[in-house]
Amino acid sequence: MVCPPTPAEAGAPEVPHRRRNGRARVSGRDDAEAGGSGTGPGAAELGGALGERATLVQFSSAFCAPCRATRRVLDEVAAMVPGVAHIEIDAEARLDLVRALGILKTPTVLVLDAHGREVRRAAGQPRRADVIAALGAAV
């Protein structure tokens, strides 16, 4: 019995394997990446008041266990840091906003500065230390 060659043996370029282990993936965005307008979603679009210094916006879905843990972490951080607000958005109910902001999975957390501009984004369940560090870029 002859086995077919593996892609590497056949001369195909190797594709790096990305391991997804449930950790938060964080990315920063500048004004050009965020659409060039320099402003993010407003309080009316988000359904809550923005924080004086920063806002943590969480996109969740109803049956998402990491979303519940993320809610607890963000609530704790918002309570610890003065001037920081936490807004949770049901992704299923706000598909228009999900599409406009390019949200691909839940939970996704956006860190907005005092003017509502997105300065950081994380997909997956964040650690408290990571959220606090991301707030450092916003305040």
Side-chain angles (χ1 to χ4, degrees), residues 81-133:
V81 183
V84 174
H86 172 219
I87 299 172
E88 186 172 3
I89 297 173
D90 181 5
E92 296 173 41
R94 296 297 313 274
L95 287 176
D96 57 331
L97 190 57
V98 166
R99 289 182 182 119
L101 295 174
I103 305 299
L104 301 176
K105 65 184 256 183
T106 60
T108 292
V109 178
L110 307 180
V111 180
L112 308 179
D113 66 8
H115 303 289
R117 288 185 296 249
E118 181 181 327
V119 294
R120 290 282 188 269
R121 173 182 293 224
Q125 182 179 338
R127 296 178 307 165
R128 182 181 308 141
D130 294 334
V131 175
I132 293 169

Side-chain angles (χ1 to χ4, degrees), residues 53-76:
R53 298 175 65 198
T55 306
L56 301 169
V57 180
Q58 175 185 351
F59 286 88
S60 301
S61 53
F63 298 103
C64 169
C67 294
R68 290 189 291 275
T70 298
R71 178 185 314 120
R72 284 191 298 273
V73 169
L74 298 182
D75 281 342
E76 289 173 8

